[in-house]
Amino acid sequence: MTLAEKLGQLQQLDGDFPTGAGRPEQFEMVRKGTLGSTLNVRGAKNVNELQRAALASRLKIPHLFAFDVIHGYRTIFPVPLGEAASFDPKAAELSAYIAAKESRSAGVAWTFAPMVDIARDPRWGRIVEGAGEDTFLGVEFAKARVRGFQGTDYSQPDRVLACAKHWVAYGAAQGGRDYNTTDISENTLYNVYFPPFKAAADAGADTFMSSFNDLNGVPATANRWVMTDVLRKEWKFDGFVVSDYTAVMELLNHGIAKDESDAAQLALNAGVDMEMVSRFYNTHGEQLLKDRKLTAATIDEAVRRILRVKYRLGLFDKPYTDESLEAKTLLAPEHRKAAREIAAKSFVLLKNDRQTLPLRKNIDELAIIGGLADSKEDVLGSWNGDGKVADAVTLLEGVRNKLGNNTKIRYAKGCDAKCEDTSEFNKAVDAAKDSDFTILVVGESAAMSGEAASRSNLDLPGRQLDLVKAIHATGKPYAVVLMNGRPLTINWVAENSPAILETWFAGTEAGNAIADVLFGDVNPSGKLPVTFPRSIGQIPIFYNMMNTGRPFKEAEKYTSKYLDIPNTPLYPFGYGLSYTNFQLSNVRLSSKQIAPTGSLTVSVDVQNTGSRDGTEVVQLYIRDLVGSVTRPVKELKGFERVALRAGEKRTVTFTLKPEQLGFYNAANKFVVEPGDFKVWVSQSSDGGLEDNFTVR
Ligand code: BGC
């Protein structure tokens, strides 16, 4: 390979997003062998066209087509945070598999997913793209999503190459402001932020994306410690790293590179192999070699990593996409069916006084209120691939589909998600007054979360709370349906509204899935993958905090607390109700004492004590009481979805192994330390049945 051809493999450029076509300049570069990859070029025909140019180049190295397939390609699934609320990694594996199948049929071989950033700050809009605040849950979803995208062999025509992003600590942006600096101790990186990435790599994810943020003084994209020492040397990762969009260029703004060539040198030497969109490697590579600021070996190694993955993708054997598959694959009926089922699993019943829900299907007159109730765009969420607004089913449509013509439905918008204008509140109030029941849909627009969508205030936007209060004041029964991409501070609603169903942004089949749950065809089973604070002043608030030297004690002044609000969240991690009730009893441990290399089982009986079939997510938490570094007051170490018929009782057994009992010590070595542990089995991170054991 010539130097230009080598540098070409390190370059990725952005195609034309609206049409999915490659740009004229890109065709030329590809023909010359100086462009190895694009993002956003998609659609079998577009892809094949550009691929033909690649195969007309001197070396005939196939082109690699990337796209952000975050929660679906054409069939859109719930936003990842919502999907994590299912506590069902199998569901995530299935949605990733369907997304892979659709993507590959459209020529996309590489997705920029899963996003496995731990996010403990709901102000950060990108909390919507991951699995929430918890490392254990994040690990399980990271593995499942990688398996779903890649299968066991990502050269298969229904699989895509995965990309674990954003490496690393992007979710810890100061103040929750996107792209902001992060400063996280190495030990917290090892214990909290790294594990989902490690799990993704171990599950076979062959690409990583370098994050935008400055990390402990060295931007991730120039950070040799994370890109090479941890990822390659410690974890033996042999795939490649792509920079985030213009992240190499942004090293200038970070003030770590004095010019373009310096930025290229820093990123490549750190271990970032492919440059997305900016072109510093290509522009300055040759001179950097001459100046000996870069070695030929470094360039060769980056090229080798990229070509290895192209081989693994099977592109050399099968560079073209079969153009006959796309139309029948996209939005296939079984994909929509899966999207509907997974969406229903993602909903979290936050409150249900006096069995307000589910609703009877023979209700005579029903009011549906809220701009979000009939917005196709918003249910598709913040990063909806090649999803089409026209495909989406809104809540209003879903309820109509469910009830047919026997119910008179009065729809009144009230206001849109911004809710600056209250002039239509009256119509909404009238609709509620005239109806037997009201479904009131409030929350955020999809654009209020996702990238570059941080918020400093987590209340319902605009005057929406006034709308809720106005409907409440009618005295008629109602339920609140939330759509949002992050935890919201909804104290008034939590206290006063009779029922609340959290539905996130549920994707193409949102409306049908919501109707399934509202009318009791599906019993809600989701649990919060992230804490709902009472106030933004509590942030960061997550269930697995440290105890502190002065843990909160009622009526004692010098303990860790706020003067004006409790320490407790509005809704804890792992929380969610059902239309039935479950009871846990009879916790038993296989042993009260184990060796550091040993394991034990924790069993519990779980019974459905209500009169409806349902599914409970039984959760296992531990606390390591004394450690060489401080340990969280609780840590999730197991969970299982248990489907039980009314009255049915079953035993659930969890196994605690060294990998669950250990942690990274001050030297960042994984250790299981002798000592006492508490263990809980529970229905959320709050409370539960407690026992204990000793590691000796
Ligand atoms: C985002 C990435 C994304 C990339 C390509 C960036 O702005 O941070 O998550 O994969 O764009 O679209």
Side-chain angles (χ1 to χ4, degrees):
M1 293 175 82
T2 63
L3 180 62
E5 284 164 343
K6 288 179 185 174
L7 292 172
Q9 288 303 310
L10 311 188
Q11 181 71 60
Q12 181 180 65
L13 293 178
D14 193 355
D16 183 46
F17 188 94
T19 62
R23 299 172 193 276
E25 181 214 20
Q26 294 162 0
F27 277 88
E28 250 171 69
M29 292 173 74
V30 167
R31 241 176 255 118
K32 279 199 268 166
T34 60
L35 176 62
S37 180
T38 43
L39 71 155
N40 295 327
V41 176
R42 64 198 188 283
K45 216 173 142 279
N46 285 333
V47 161
N48 283 342
E49 244 171 70
L50 195 54
Q51 195 64 292
R52 271 192 286 278
L55 294 199
S57 68
R58 190 179 77 89
L59 295 174
K60 303 184 176 27
I61 299 174
H63 192 78
L64 176 52
F65 295 91
F67 191 50
D68 288 279
V69 185
I70 310 297
H71 49 110
Y73 181 81
R74 173 72 181 268
T75 307
I76 303 304
F77 289 83
V79 289
L81 185 67
E83 196 176 63
S86 70
F87 276 61
D88 187 356
K90 287 231 151 58
E93 184 173 344
L94 177 62
S95 78
Y97 170 55
I98 292 172
K101 200 172 173 178
E102 292 194 348
S103 302
R104 202 74 189 248
S105 82
V108 170
W110 180 22
T111 175
F112 292 140
M115 188 279 221
V116 300
D117 299 326
I118 295 298
R120 292 166 155 189
D121 190 332
R123 291 173 298 184
W124 190 53
R126 301 197 80 171
I127 195 170
V128 69
E129 289 177 52
E133 75 186 31
D134 186 58
T135 301
F136 185 85
L137 190 68
V139 163
E140 294 307 310
F141 273 82
K143 288 193 283 196
R145 288 178 170 142
V146 171
R147 272 198 307 266
F149 286 130
Q150 295 195 161
T152 50
D153 170 5
Y154 58 76
S155 75
Q156 294 304 303
D158 56 353
R159 300 289 180 172
V160 292
L161 167 66
C163 181
K165 74 184 189 186
H166 306 81
W167 177 243
V168 61
Y170 182 39
Q174 287 176 357
R177 181 159 56 79
D178 206 1
Y179 314 123
N180 204 3
T181 302
T182 63
D183 203 316
I184 303 290
S185 74
E186 283 189 17
N187 193 245
T188 299
L189 288 172
Y190 270 95
N191 279 306
V192 178
Y193 290 88
F194 283 176
F197 286 94
K198 172 88 164 59
D202 290 347
D206 263 350
T207 68
F208 271 48
M209 185 184 291
S210 78
S211 56
F212 287 129
N213 54 289
D214 178 5
L215 172 64
N216 300 347
V218 183
T221 301
N223 197 313
R224 189 170 163 87
W225 177 64
V226 291
M227 294 300 156
T228 296
D229 296 349
V230 176
L231 184 59
R232 266 74 182 231
K233 293 190 182 152
E234 251 179 70
W235 297 358
K236 313 282 178 240
F237 173 78
D238 73 350
F240 73 86
V241 175
V242 60
S243 79
D244 202 344
Y245 208 102
T246 61
V248 176
M249 179 175 89
E250 290 161 29
L251 296 177
L252 296 171
N253 282 340
H254 277 294
I256 195 122
K258 60 179 181 303
D259 54 28
E260 294 186 0
S261 126
D262 201 24
Q265 173 273 115
L266 282 169
L268 246 177
N269 281 327
V272 175
D273 307 297
M274 185 182 278
E275 181 177 2
M276 192 194 298
V277 177
S278 51
R279 306 184 187 200
F280 294 1
Y281 291 5
N282 268 266
T283 325
H284 303 284
E286 195 176 344
Q287 192 59 44
L288 283 168
L289 274 176
K290 283 188 191 140
D291 297 345
R292 297 176 190 273
K293 289 189 175 148
L294 201 60
T295 66
T298 301
I299 293 182
D300 287 354
E301 183 53 27
V303 173
R304 192 174 293 120
R305 288 168 183 156
I306 292 165
L307 292 183
R308 180 156 57 220
V309 171
K310 287 189 174 184
Y311 268 105
R312 287 181 184 162
L313 263 166
L315 294 178
F316 286 88
D317 293 331
K318 211 175 160 290
Y320 294 110
T321 301
D322 177 347
E323 291 182 24
S324 71
L325 289 178
E326 184 174 359
K328 57 184 175 218
T329 306
L330 301 187
L331 212 65
E334 67 271 22
H335 299 177
R336 291 196 81 129
K337 184 168 173 280
R340 181 170 178 165
E341 286 167 9
I342 293 172
K345 279 184 180 175
S346 76
F347 302 155
V348 185
L349 184 64
L350 296 175
K351 185 175 180 189
N352 196 21
D353 274 1
R354 278 171 273 119
Q355 298 186 317
T356 304
L357 295 175
L359 300 171
R360 312 178 268 120
K361 286 183 199 154
N362 60 358
I363 189 162
D364 291 327
E365 303 192 27
L366 181 68
I368 296 183
I369 291 169
L372 290 166
D374 200 29
S375 163
K376 286 178 180 287
E377 199 178 330
D378 288 307
V379 289
L380 289 185
S382 56
W383 210 316
N384 46 48
D386 214 23
K388 303 277 179 269
V389 169
D391 302 335
V393 180
T394 68
L395 182 146
L396 179 62
E397 290 168 334
V399 172
R400 283 203 171 117
N401 294 342
K402 179 75 70 191
L403 299 183
N405 294 326
N406 298 331
T407 301
K408 181 173 169 66
I409 296 178
R410 291 191 184 86
Y411 174 62
K413 188 166 138 195
C415 61
D416 62 12
K418 280 204 186 119
C419 204
E420 283 151 357
D421 173 10
T422 60
S423 61
E424 290 192 27
F425 278 21
N426 285 345
K427 283 190 204 155
V429 168
D430 290 344
K433 278 185 183 156
D434 292 343
S435 305
D436 302 315
F437 193 91
T438 296
I439 298 169
L440 174 55
V441 188
V442 291
E444 302 178 301
S445 66
M448 289 180 193
S449 58
E451 189 173 350
S454 296
R455 291 182 65 201
S456 72
N457 174 336
L458 302 182
D459 294 342
L460 290 172
R463 304 282 300 273
Q464 288 190 62
L465 183 57
D466 293 334
L467 179 63
V468 179
K469 287 179 177 170
I471 300 303
H472 185 83
T474 63
K476 304 277 286 209
Y478 72 102
V480 171
V481 172
L482 292 173
M483 292 186 186
N484 44 274
R486 57 157 64 79
L488 296 176
T489 45
I490 45 163
N491 303 317
W492 191 94
V493 182
E495 196 164 315
N496 298 286
S497 299
I500 308 171
L501 183 69
E502 171 61 78
T503 68
W504 318 103
F505 298 115
T508 307
E509 284 287 326
N512 287 328
I514 296 171
D516 287 340
V517 170
L518 289 177
F519 291 92
D521 290 330
V522 176
N523 193 344
S525 58
K527 300 280 187 177
L528 294 178
V530 61
T531 303
F532 272 45
R534 295 174 191 274
S535 143
I536 46 162
Q538 292 180 311
I539 295 170
I541 177 171
F542 42 91
Y543 80 95
N544 48 352
M545 302 191 96
M546 303 301 176
N547 199 39
T548 81
R550 294 191 176 185
F552 172 68
K553 235 188 222 159
E554 197 71 54
E556 277 193 29
K557 179 169 168 63
Y558 295 99
T559 65
S560 183
K561 63 172 185 297
Y562 300 100
L563 291 176
D564 49 352
I565 44 166
N567 284 3
T568 54
L570 181 59
Y571 295 115
F573 173 87
Y575 170 83
L577 305 172
S578 163
Y579 295 152
T580 185
N581 292 306
F582 299 97
Q583 205 176 353
L584 302 180
S585 62
N586 194 19
V587 191
R588 55 231 184 251
L589 275 50
S590 60
S591 153
K592 292 287 254 185
Q593 203 173 301
I594 55 164
T597 51
S599 51
L600 82 161
T601 62
V602 181
S603 302
V604 67
D605 297 338
V606 48
Q607 183 169 19
N608 180 342
T609 54
S611 54
R612 275 174 181 272
D613 301 350
T615 297
E616 176 61 310
V617 179
V618 182
Q619 300 161 43
L620 177 85
Y621 294 86
I622 63 166
R623 177 171 177 189
D624 183 348
L625 289 174
V626 178
S628 59
V629 296
T630 54
R631 309 304 309 135
V633 292
K634 249 184 195 185
E635 293 179 90
L636 182 71
K637 293 295 175 183
F639 58 87
E640 191 172 322
R641 287 175 60 88
V642 190
L644 294 171
R645 289 191 201 298
E648 191 182 348
K649 186 174 182 174
R650 233 196 285 159
T651 300
V652 182
T653 300
F654 298 100
T655 305
L656 284 170
K657 297 186 198 148
E659 67 187 272
Q660 278 94 44
L661 298 176
F663 59 89
Y664 290 87
N665 66 13
N668 299 325
K669 289 278 161 293
F670 192 79
V671 289
V672 179
E673 291 182 346
D676 294 334
F677 286 72
K678 277 191 186 176
V679 57
W680 296 262
V681 281
S682 55
Q683 295 167 275
S684 82
S685 61
D686 189 23
L689 301 175
E690 186 181 320
D691 207 330
N692 54 66
F693 63 93
T694 304
V695 172
R696 317 203 126 125

